[in-house]
């Protein structure tokens, strides 16, 4: 990780996306390279943390958020406890009320992915290039 990183454990609650956005905003405002990543980063953190909260974090577990920024890119990682539930891009419909978040993340990211965590769960990550 670069010297411009931040990590935290987020609660399994509706507060988690807001806490994640606050952490990202603080990191980027304290970093001379952070401004170009703010809008995309806030949306990506919101979507990935919300997905982890709704689909990847059973009761009794928390969500781990890792942020890393340098002049070339912002990397966002969201770790949750469910290895058996990887993110799935759904087909979009005009009247659908869900499923757009990962499409937004993909469109704003240079690279995205999902990998298993060492002991349990998975890491869903996104990188945004300058």
């Amino acid at each position: 990780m670069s010297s411009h990183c931040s990590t935290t454990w987020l609660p399994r609650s509706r507060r988690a996306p807001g806490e994640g956005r606050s952490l990202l905003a603080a990191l980027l405002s304290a970093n001379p390279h952070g401004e170009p990543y703010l809008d995309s980063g806030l949306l990506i953190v919101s979507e990935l943390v919300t997905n982890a909260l709704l689909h990847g974090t059973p009761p009794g577990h928390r969500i781990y958020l890792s942020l890393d920024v340098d002049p070339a890119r912002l990397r966002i990682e969201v770790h949750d406890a469910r290895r058996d539930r990887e993110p799935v891009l759904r087909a979009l419909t005009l009247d659908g009320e869900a499923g757009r978040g990962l499409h937004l993340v993909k469109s704003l990211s240079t690279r995205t992915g999902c990998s298993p965590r060492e002991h349990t769960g998975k890491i869903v990550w996104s990188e945004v290039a300058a």
Side-chain angles (χ1 to χ4, degrees):
M1 274 194 218
S2 75
S3 61
H4 301 286
C5 63
S6 188
T7 62
T8 192
W9 285 99
L10 298 169
R12 185 185 181 273
S13 79
R14 294 185 329 192
R15 295 186 326 265
E19 290 182 24
R21 288 190 302 270
S22 294
L23 184 69
L24 177 65
L27 174 68
L28 296 180
S29 70
N31 187 296
H33 314 294
E35 180 64 28
Y37 304 112
L38 184 62
D39 292 334
S40 295
L42 290 173
L43 185 105
I44 292 168
V45 165
S46 289
E47 290 298 331
L48 295 184
V49 171
T50 298
N51 283 350
L53 177 64
L54 296 176
H55 308 294
T57 308
H61 294 271
R62 294 183 292 163
I63 301 162
Y64 185 75
L65 175 63
S66 175
L67 306 167
D68 187 26
V69 65
D70 62 36
R73 61 101 182 106
L74 167 67
R75 182 175 175 93
I76 299 165
E77 292 184 1
V78 177
H79 302 222
D80 67 46
R82 297 282 307 265
R83 185 171 288 177
D84 62 324
R85 296 193 69 179
E86 290 192 15
V88 176
L89 279 174
R90 296 181 185 163
L92 295 177
T93 62
L94 292 177
D95 60 346
E97 295 183 13
R100 286 175 167 64
L102 285 178
H103 287 278
L104 288 171
V105 169
K106 186 174 180 178
S107 71
L108 293 170
S109 302
T110 310
R111 298 177 349 141
T112 61
C114 179
S115 57
R117 278 178 65 200
E118 186 173 324
H119 298 289
T120 185
K122 65 183 172 298
I123 303 166
V124 180
W125 56 269
S126 168
E127 289 186 355
V128 179

